[in-house]
Amino acid sequence: MSALTPTKQSSYTPAFGRLLIALIFVISGAGKIAAPGMTLGYIASAGLPLPLIAYLVAVGIELGGGMLLVVGYQTRIVASVMTIFTIATAVSFHHDFADQNQTIHFLKNVAMAGGLLQVVAFGAGAFSIDGRFGHALRRASAQPLLNRVCSLEEVQS
């Protein structure tokens, strides 16, 4: 059995980190689907307008964003949206600092937002769709521009 080299370890670490961050979102989104009435009641009790729309947005961000985070697709955009959602959730639902449980949930959301901002800053890493195809997509999108520049140089010669 070979030991993890720093290169291998640094390749696996972002993927494992994305999985750990995404777990809470995926599980929470699945819980919302399993108990929509309870979730809609909780959203309404917080005084948010349009509880059904808020519910659908929450499920979409938690399940969709969580799964996209796991596979590492459009990771920086997804993590940015999830950061905003997480802070909005903290402010909307966990603002009663007289209740120690709510304070802990607020701080948990802030910590999750910090982890998501790390993903925004450093990207998905090598084991991701972004890492696998990102370089090829950037080359493919730059190729037509490169072709035009080369054509102009030939014309000017």
Side-chain angles (χ1 to χ4, degrees):
M1 187 161 95
S2 65
L4 286 177
T5 63
T7 304
K8 284 184 182 178
Q9 182 179 359
S10 62
S11 295
Y12 292 114
T13 303
F16 188 59
R18 289 192 327 269
L19 174 66
L20 293 177
I21 292 173
L23 273 177
I24 194 166
F25 289 101
V26 173
I27 291 169
S28 182
K32 285 175 177 58
I33 290 174
M38 191 170 79
T39 305
L40 286 164
Y42 185 57
I43 292 169
S45 74
L48 293 179
L50 306 169
L52 180 60
I53 302 298
Y55 169 79
L56 294 172
V57 167
V59 168
I61 289 174
E62 288 178 348
L63 277 179
M67 295 307 295
L68 290 172
L69 201 59
V70 168
V71 299
Y73 180 72
Q74 297 293 319
T75 313
R76 286 186 161 122
I77 295 168
V78 169
S80 296
V81 169
M82 293 175 81
T83 299
I84 293 166
F85 172 78
T86 302
I87 295 296
T89 302
V91 170
S92 299
F93 294 100
H94 308 304
H95 56 271
D96 182 7
F97 296 123
D99 180 351
Q100 183 180 11
N101 189 42
Q102 289 301 313
T103 302
I104 290 168
H105 282 291
F106 182 88
L107 293 172
K108 169 207 44 123
N109 280 37
V110 170
M112 290 166 37
L116 289 164
L117 286 174
Q118 291 291 305
V119 176
V120 172
F122 298 108
F127 289 117
S128 65
I129 292 174
D130 290 350
R132 175 88 170 136
F133 298 109
H135 298 294
L137 290 174
R138 280 190 292 279
R139 266 190 313 231
S141 63
Q143 194 60 47
L145 178 61
L146 183 61
N147 289 343
R148 277 184 268 154
V149 169
C150 290
S151 296
L152 288 174
E153 287 176 359
E154 292 170 5
V155 171
Q156 292 172 352
S157 301

